[in-house]
Amino acid sequence: MTVPQLSHTEMAARVARDIPDGSYVNLGIGMPTLVGDVISAGKEIIFHSENGILGMGPAPAPGEVDWELINAGKSPVTLVPGGSYFHHTDSFMMMRGGHIDVTVLGAFQVSEQGDLANWATDDAHLPPAVGGAMDLAVGAKRVLVLMMHTTPDGRPKLLPECTYPLTAAQVVHRIYTELAVIDVGPAGFVVRDMVAGLSREDLQRRTGAPLTFADEVAVLVPAGG
Amino acid sequence: MTVPQLSHTEMAARVARDIPDGSYVNLGIGMPTLVGDVISAGKEIIFHSENGILGMGPAPAPGEVDWELINAGKSPVTLVPGGSYFHHTDSFMMMRGGHIDVTVLGAFQVSEQGDLANWATDDAHLPPAVGGAMDLAVGAKRVLVLMMHTTPDGRPKLLPECTYPLTAAQVVHRIYTELAVIDVGPAGFVVRDMVAGLSREDLQRRTGAPLTFADEVAVLVPAGG
Amino acid sequence: MIDKRVASLAEAVQGLADGSTVLVGGFGAAGVPVELVHAVLDQGARDLTIVTNNAGSGETDVAALIREGRVRKIICSYPRSMGSIWFEEFYRAGTIELELVPQGTLSERMRAAGAGLGGFFTPAGADSLLARGKEVRMIGGRRHVFEEPLGGDVALVKALRGDRWGNLVYNKAARNFGPTMATAATLTVVQVREFVELGDLDPESVVTPGIFVDRVVQVEEEA
Amino acid sequence: MIDKRVASLAEAVQGLADGSTVLVGGFGAAGVPVELVHAVLDQGARDLTIVTNNAGSGETDVAALIREGRVRKIICSYPRSMGSIWFEEFYRAGTIELELVPQGTLSERMRAAGAGLGGFFTPAGADSLLARGKEVRMIGGRRHVFEEPLGGDVALVKALRGDRWGNLVYNKAARNFGPTMATAATLTVVQVREFVELGDLDPESVVTPGIFVDRVVQVEEEA
């Protein structure tokens, strides 16, 4: 069954709407990077990159690439006026020390307590790798997760407990998927937005833990729908 | 009885002789500051100041004082070419982290184990004050003490145990006084230099712990003698 | 749009609550945000804990706060500066509390707060009276004392130049505690000699990135 | 007279002993001291422990050291870089040991070594498998894990410009781990693109003061 769903860009735009003007923001590798491209023109957002950049700008024009100015995903970026460079230890002071207002991270699983699993699966074939996720997850003032609602083979990623190794416990504030926007609160998962044409039962079926619904659930309308 | 003795400048010059070319040196407040003035012209020594200066130069000419360029004793200084400024936390990384080759400190007392007491006496009238002495004492590669051999009223400052509160235990390598140069080793105080005209018994009488003497004790000749 | 510049010293210290912990930059006279401290004097907050290297001098800055009975406790490494009178007077009278901290530990404890760390072991002071009542542990054959992070409600910092994002550069040895204190407080307030346009500061040479700064006020000084 | 400049890459890595711990700067390809790592390859030291963020890529730098069987253990946060082959191959064969450390903890542990601290408590990773076997403590209502200092026998760092005292400035995001690694090793070796005269670097903008540097070698690069 095909369900209505947001595109990756629409998902990123929905995240971007929740980022207040003037925020210091760190975007994780992968889909979260898209959020940087869809910030509304009226907002001044300062992007942080773990490798020592504050005021990171968009990708450079072809031919103007400097491989000593890259983001956490190792892609070339630029610096905006007012930006600055610093070393890794100072950069992680910002991340772990509560100075980043918002981080947007990908995830394998999120539990209804806000536990985050986004660094290791149970695949023993790959060597483990962690990067900066653990520092960001414990340190950012607000941790937003941007991910697909289920795994490619349809298993739920929102769960009563994470089965994959934890990145950090009780840190996620809000989850954005192609189907819904879900808060993580004392009472577990609370749906705030849902994609048009999806029933509450459909959404629950794709979710591994019980959902409650906000008094007014906003409707997300995909461009295609 | 008047005993032959070195002047403060001669004491400082004796310390300076022991500082190798190319050393990074931190001079404590008071008499140790004199060492900076008597380094031989052939040596390039880099002076560190706890308040964030490396490559500290001599006092400025009158009229060229910048009160935002001062040393640990709050006196105006200058910066030599190749010098740099940094913040306090980085400055104390240098001190505590073993990056300073030599520190020259004043002291109230030194024990034969190399314990240093240089921050508090038993005078309860004054509020206590510690500054950067504890970080320097534990962190510098070589801790030299420059002080008078006894208190103004003749009590010994070189002791079996310090009676004043410790700055740090087992840190002092060598002591320079107006009467002698004394190493602190596994066997306690070992006299390396003595001022001309002073007998070993005279020196021992002014010292609170047993002295041993190096195979060849060098003679210190005061300008006045 | 981000604009951390405020128009007056009064606005810069607005909202400072009684009982706050205030980090005050400076070493000797260099880097002391004198005008900001005097603005706190005017603002009226009481029962303050002041974290600073020295305890002020003469009748200005932290000494004036002490004189006016506004300081409950001082956390510092060296309260007896040249020309310091008021700290000594209140200390002898038993009306001010003193927590003495080795200078490197003072700076490192503030850094730990700014860096989100839960504390650290240092050899500095581990053999001394200042380790009394604290956890001491042998590490690598040497005594270390456990020191806790030390954050502030407010940091008052003096810098040379700043822009509307709060990026800062300092002047010479007036830098001292400023960059660390800026990271360690909930509200970081900075007085600068000069406002500059965004982009005027070299990105390689910014000392305090604006992320650590909340308010910037210009206080001109004679050169 | 102090002159830390050396004339060749071979001289820069001279004396590196078998079994050494080597800190290697860089994040992705930015700031990796490729020529110094290749000089270690030529120099011949074996049984190395390499501390670095990634595990090299393709056939160059740390990947080449691994390929040649010279690396006993790697301490890093993210060994699986794009284009990394050799680490994976040796890891699957069980012929290289991996100590995985969260990136901020990796950097902070090296800083602790450089700063003469005995270790610290961090919340990063405290809820994770990476805290297994380590001391965990509740601080301020939150789990923290105790992390030990991580120093090196040698640090290999890449900078932009350096002078004969070893003062350094870096280029953009190639700064990354360099300044911290420089503080954390017994012998710090730096490759710079350009030697400059003493006094040419602005004292307000020196990133690594020369006190942390032992040898500097010039490796020119195309712009």
Side-chain angles (χ1 to χ4, degrees), chain A residues 21-24 42-46 48 54-55 79-87 89-90 92-101, chain C residues 1-4 110-111 113-117 163-165 167 182-185 198-199 201-207 209-213:
Chain A
D21 186 22
S23 297
Y24 291 90
K43 287 184 192 170
E44 194 171 48
I45 303 293
I46 302 183
H48 171 267
L54 202 59
L79 191 78
V80 302
S84 57
Y85 303 112
F86 33 84
H87 63 59
T89 312
D90 280 352
F92 277 80
M93 280 186 73
M94 298 177 190
M95 293 159 70
R96 198 183 39 233
H99 306 283
I100 304 285
D101 296 308
Chain C
M1 152 125 166
I2 300 167
D3 194 350
K4 300 180 180 179
M110 290 189 282
R111 179 188 180 272
L117 299 174
D163 62 29
R164 69 175 172 86
W165 281 12
N167 293 306
T183 70
L198 202 66
L201 299 176
D202 176 2
E204 299 282 6
S205 307
V206 167
V207 175
I211 193 170
F212 296 123
V213 173

Side-chain angles (χ1 to χ4, degrees), chain B residues 92-169:
Chain B
F92 277 79
M93 279 186 75
M94 296 177 190
M95 292 159 72
R96 198 184 40 234
H99 306 284
I100 304 286
D101 296 308
V102 178
T103 187
V104 185
L105 298 171
F108 299 135
Q109 299 177 331
V110 179
S111 85
E112 60 186 351
Q113 291 84 40
D115 296 353
L116 173 68
N118 79 343
W119 73 281
T121 65
D122 46 14
D123 181 351
H125 184 72
L126 283 173
V130 59
M134 290 184 179
D135 298 274
L136 258 180
V138 300
K141 285 184 198 144
R142 231 175 127 68
V143 176
L144 309 182
V145 165
L146 175 61
M147 65 176 188
M148 301 306 285
H149 204 86
T150 59
T151 64
D153 56 356
R155 284 176 296 139
K157 299 174 71 172
L158 287 81
L159 298 167
E161 298 282 346
C162 296
T163 61
Y164 289 157
L166 287 198
T167 304

